[in-house]
Amino acid sequence: MFVLDYRDARPIYTQLCDSIKEQILTGVLQEGDRLPSVRELAVQLTINPNTIQRSYAILEDEGWIASVPGKGSFVAPLPAAARVQTAAAWEELEALRLKFARLGIGTEEIIRYLSEGGNKNA
């Protein structure tokens, strides 16, 4: 579920926070989804439970997740800052789509390019 890179210069708790945020923003994790317990995730990732607890506390402070005593941690509604960033990204994408359209490149070609991993020669 969550991938950590021990060669990454960022601390493990930051990587975990970023990974959870990314999964929320991309829709892999949806509002209301239950996150693994601290113990479950510590065993799964073979890291100290305190690291997981720190990540969950940061995510809760930032509004990404909510903890329910006795039940666990759940994905919260998308924080306002993330909604603003998402809306801005969609606006940028629309501007790019229009730019490509003016160059004679259609949506189908853009989708093909993206689905091939950005490889123009594929």
Side-chain angles (χ1 to χ4, degrees):
M1 182 178 226
F2 306 111
V3 179
L4 302 175
D5 181 359
Y6 295 99
R7 295 174 300 200
D8 192 323
R10 295 175 301 149
I12 296 297
Y13 73 89
T14 301
Q15 290 184 50
L16 182 57
C17 286
D18 291 347
S19 180
I20 292 171
K21 288 177 189 178
E22 180 180 337
Q23 289 193 19
I24 292 170
L25 289 173
T26 59
V28 173
L29 290 172
Q30 301 280 323
E31 180 179 335
D33 284 353
R34 184 183 176 280
L35 294 173
S37 73
V38 170
R39 281 193 193 119
E40 290 169 349
L41 198 52
V43 168
Q44 180 184 345
L45 298 174
T46 61
I47 60 175
N48 190 310
N50 292 332
T51 303
I52 312 261
Q53 187 62 46
R54 183 174 186 182
S55 297
Y56 280 13
I58 290 168
L59 291 167
E60 188 166 15
D61 287 346
E62 293 178 356
W64 291 92
I65 66 172
S67 294
V68 179
K71 301 263 185 193
S73 297
F74 299 85
V75 176
L78 202 57
R83 285 194 299 273
V84 169
Q85 287 178 335
T86 301
W90 280 111
E91 288 176 17
E92 291 174 28
L93 183 60
E94 177 60 11
L96 281 172
R97 187 192 66 79
L98 292 172
K99 183 176 185 177
F100 278 110
R102 286 190 297 274
L103 295 169
I105 299 171
T107 305
E108 296 80 19
E109 190 172 347
I110 296 168
I111 291 169
R112 189 176 332 107
Y113 173 79
L114 293 172
S115 68
E116 293 169 354
N119 185 357
K120 187 64 179 153
N121 297 321

